[in-house]
Amino acid sequence: MGVIIDPRVIEAGLSLRLVLVSPVAVPAGFPSPAQDYFDGRIDLNEHLIKDITSTYIVRVSGDSMEQAGISDGDELIVNRALEPRDGSVVVAVLDGELTIKRLKITAAGVVLQAANPLYPDIMVPALADLTIWGVATRCLHHV
């Protein structure tokens, strides 16, 4: 089961370093010699984070979300202010245990769904203590 370790808050006013940005998309096929320059710098906060006061970064532990593109050691940008919806990838606290799963809302109830066939869906019992801690908005995947 994928669990969360090392949540880090992004402090208001803290800016990630500005990085260079290419003015064009870079093809994954044959390289173009005309596209080897960069066009200024961007602030990653502007592109990755909508609400810095409610955004955290959490590190993923485990492989239960691999088929959703979330691997062991990746970092998720999680917004606690977003309303969780059916299909959202969420950080959930179920009976005191943290997990990352896809939220499914069905006629039978709430399901926390893994994205790996080795892990069964978790049907949340009616009397369980479930808190959706936040909604994942981005995955920082290590290559």
Side-chain angles (χ1 to χ4, degrees):
M1 187 176 288
V3 296
I4 310 304
I5 59 171
D6 187 28
R8 293 180 281 155
V9 66
I10 300 172
E11 296 179 23
L14 178 67
S15 178
L16 301 174
R17 291 189 178 178
L18 299 179
V19 296
L20 289 171
V21 62
S22 173
V24 296
V26 178
F30 295 102
S32 168
Q35 297 174 352
D36 63 350
Y37 65 96
F38 289 90
D39 186 33
R41 296 187 180 272
I42 63 168
D43 183 347
L44 290 176
N45 287 324
E46 292 177 18
H47 293 279
L48 300 176
I49 299 169
K50 289 186 179 188
D51 182 358
I52 199 158
T53 61
S54 62
T55 301
Y56 292 78
I57 294 177
V58 296
R59 183 167 292 126
V60 176
S61 173
D63 61 354
S64 72
M65 295 301 290
E66 278 189 345
Q67 291 181 358
I70 302 170
S71 301
D72 183 57
D74 286 352
E75 294 173 323
L76 295 180
I77 296 177
V78 179
N79 188 330
R80 296 198 66 196
L82 291 178
E83 185 74 28
R85 301 189 191 298
D86 180 57
S88 296
V89 173
V90 298
V91 177
V93 184
L94 178 59
D95 293 329
E97 303 228 0
L98 285 166
T99 188
I100 298 169
K101 296 288 182 277
R102 188 168 305 280
L103 179 67
K104 293 306 241 183
I105 301 170
T106 69
V110 175
V111 178
L112 297 175
Q113 188 177 54
N116 181 332
L118 299 175
Y119 296 86
D121 291 348
I122 302 169
M123 286 292 301
V124 179
L127 297 177
D129 183 19
L130 175 67
T131 302
I132 303 301
W133 189 80
V135 176
T137 59
R138 298 276 193 260
C139 178
L140 305 176
H141 185 73
H142 299 271
V143 294

